Amino acid sequence: MELYDELPLERDDIALVEESLRLVRDPDETMNYFYASLFVQSPELRDLFPVAMDAQRDRFFRALTGAMRRLRAEDGFKPMLEQLGRNHRKYGVRAEHYGVFGRALLAALRHSLESFWVPELEAAWFRTYNYMAQTMIDAAQQAATREPAWWRGEIIAHERRAHDIAVITVRTDRPYHYEPGQFANIETPYRPRTWRPYSMATAPNPSGLLEFHVRAVGAGWVSGPLVWRAATGDVLKITAPMGDLAVDQQSGRDILMVAGGTGLAPIKAIVEDMARWNTSRRVHVFFGVRRAGDLYDIGAMYRLAAPHSWLTIIPAVSDEPEFTGERGLLPDVIARWGDWRDHDVIVCGSPEMSRA
């Protein structure tokens, strides 16, 4: 598949592409065919992917369908593609790889949708993929002129704050500029080619050090080793910062912040930054966990609040009846404290907690 200059997407193309994805009955088979076709064409590309491909297959199809759902959102689709293009540099993806990926993708869709595949559908997919790929290539090339694909980050401190939680301090090999509330993808030396996102847990500071809060989840290939195996002196790979979680400084409203578990990390960074400029907006931070022992960084939050009357920290524990503070699930605790409809709200935590 050859890529050409950026082409505008037609509404008919968008409709055909969206409908074809709805007709894919077995995403696993489609993705298996895609990767088989990709590695047959270019066996050397296998080295760009993690050893275990199960999660990768699922992630790719979810990313593809998620991108297609945003096709009609003209103001959001292109920025999302540009971010993907910049982010894919960490895998070692180069401009010439996009044509190979495109051929493998069309082959997989043609196989999966054999009874529906017509020349018009193939042309629509070709034009859509061409637009997506060229946008990603352009963004990656522009990013390469101003920042590396990743930074080397040496672990200089590793604290186990709970059985499954670690606070890790990292020194990067070159200046690392980010905004409070952003996150970075991290690769460990223990599981090469497997990346996971973690939020920076402090505001930018003169030392240039980064702090990450990591909770081991199940058999997590990155979080588990970072909690139980990582040690000072180990070197991580850290991508450029991403995300736009932030306080609206133009707003005059008070702020409600809700953190579940290690979702505290970006909120702590935002509060640290607010301590440099906020004087009048009241901030309530609810930090919810299951057990009191999981309030792993509550001391740091209290120290932040001590000199600032506008900042209130409320820890809440759901599964320990003997806890002397706020008890219960976060939505219930927050509701007991009042009506928050006139507040700006930031929520960080698991999908289940955030939905609740």
Side-chain angles (χ1 to χ4, degrees), residues 61-140:
F61 190 78
R62 284 189 284 110
L64 182 63
T65 54
M68 293 307 109
R69 282 195 293 270
R70 299 180 67 170
L71 272 171
R72 297 180 188 275
E74 297 178 4
D75 58 340
F77 186 54
K78 186 174 181 181
M80 180 201 68
L81 292 175
E82 290 171 338
Q83 182 60 67
L84 282 173
R86 291 188 291 267
N87 193 37
H88 274 64
R89 293 190 303 138
K90 70 177 185 282
Y91 299 115
V93 176
R94 301 192 301 271
E96 59 266 27
H97 294 152
Y98 282 88
V100 183
F101 276 81
R103 288 192 294 273
L105 178 61
L106 261 65
L109 291 168
R110 191 183 303 116
H111 170 78
S112 180
L113 301 170
E114 184 177 5
S115 57
F116 304 100
W117 200 258
V118 292
E120 292 81 5
L121 180 55
E122 176 148 356
W125 264 106
F126 179 90
R127 287 189 289 267
T128 300
Y129 179 82
N130 181 81
Y131 171 83
M132 294 172 64
Q134 196 61 58
T135 301
M136 292 173 68
I137 290 169
D138 291 345

Side-chain angles (χ1 to χ4, degrees), residues 155-181:
I155 297 176
I156 64 168
H158 184 282
E159 288 185 72
R160 287 277 293 280
R161 298 283 181 85
H163 167 67
D164 56 354
I165 297 176
V167 172
I168 300 172
T169 306
V170 174
R171 178 188 293 116
T172 55
D173 61 342
R174 66 194 81 184
Y176 187 90
H177 304 290
Y178 66 96
E179 297 296 328

